[in-house]
Amino acid sequence: NNFTVFSDDRGATWKFGENVPGAFVPDAKLGQRSQINEVQMVELSDGSVRLNSRQFAGAKVRKTSVSRDGGRTWSPVEDVPALRDPSCNASIVRHSFGDGAKPGVILYSGPDSLKRENGTVYRSEDDGATWPTKRVLWPGSFAYSVLTTLLDGIIGCLFEADNYGRIVFARFSVAWVKDG
């Protein structure tokens, strides 16, 4: 199953959302296999939620789905051709909500390769519909990553490097990504 668990009352009670449509694809060994796993979520400028998932089957790109009702139901899974994925957990974070006319900035970090290498940060200014700007953060071995916006507005990225031998913390500005 591929579903969310959410709370509308600050964690007092929890509910299951519906399965993400199109998540399962035929698999010769198992009959069916989920093409999404290790999912990250990001709030969109209109309050919707975008799921961004590691590919576990299908094309070697990230997968996405959108919920317009807080995680109860989801749009069918779609490929994100701009974000290559060697089946590696990645990170997505909203950096800003914009000014109402524009949706603000979402950042994504993950390997830009079919191997766990070439750690790249991408920038979207249309709620993750497109990823026109990217910049290599770490050209070598790059596995699981986590992005966060620090108190001073700088972005932090914690990631596995050197074939899982080190955990690295990098800091950079949103402008650094934009100048790609």
Side-chain angles (χ1 to χ4, degrees):
N1 289 331
N2 294 285
F3 53 83
T4 54
V5 179
F6 62 91
S7 175
D8 288 328
D9 57 12
R10 298 185 159 191
T13 61
W14 294 87
K15 301 172 191 166
F16 284 96
E18 294 181 17
N19 279 319
V20 177
F24 288 93
V25 294
D27 180 71
K29 278 183 165 176
L30 307 171
Q32 286 189 41
R33 182 181 185 119
S34 177
Q35 56 180 330
I36 63 174
N37 127 337
E38 297 185 345
V39 171
Q40 305 295 314
M41 307 278 182
V42 66
E43 184 178 358
L44 305 182
S45 58
D46 66 0
S48 298
V49 179
R50 179 175 296 280
L51 166 157
N52 179 285
S53 174
R54 152 185 161 156
Q55 69 80 20
F56 207 56
K60 302 278 186 195
V61 296
R62 301 294 290 183
K63 311 297 181 188
T64 193
S65 177
V66 175
S67 175
R68 304 218 180 274
D69 56 13
R72 287 178 182 82
T73 62
W74 294 90
S75 66
V77 170
E78 295 179 28
D79 288 346
V80 184
L83 303 179
R84 292 194 296 171
D85 182 28
S87 197
C88 184
N89 191 29
S91 186
I92 190 168
V93 67
R94 172 166 290 287
H95 175 71
S96 68
F97 276 93
D99 59 10
K102 289 184 163 185
V105 174
I106 294 177
L107 300 172
Y108 163 84
S109 66
D112 184 13
S113 175
L114 296 180
K115 296 179 181 177
R116 291 183 175 187
E117 64 187 13
N118 201 39
T120 302
V121 179
Y122 294 75
R123 177 185 168 118
S124 174
E125 293 185 17
D126 59 7
D127 280 336
T130 64
W131 300 92
T133 309
K134 66 181 181 177
R135 189 140 187 207
V136 175
L137 177 66
W138 191 267
S141 169
F142 185 93
Y144 287 24
S145 62
V146 178
L147 291 169
T148 190
T149 300
L150 303 172
L151 292 176
D152 60 2
I154 294 294
I155 305 301
C157 183
L158 187 71
F159 59 94
E160 295 175 303
D162 300 339
N163 295 314
Y164 318 106
R166 282 193 318 144
I167 302 293
V168 176
F169 181 73
R171 294 170 47 102
F172 54 88
S173 68
V174 175
W176 176 82
V177 180
K178 187 175 183 178
D179 295 340

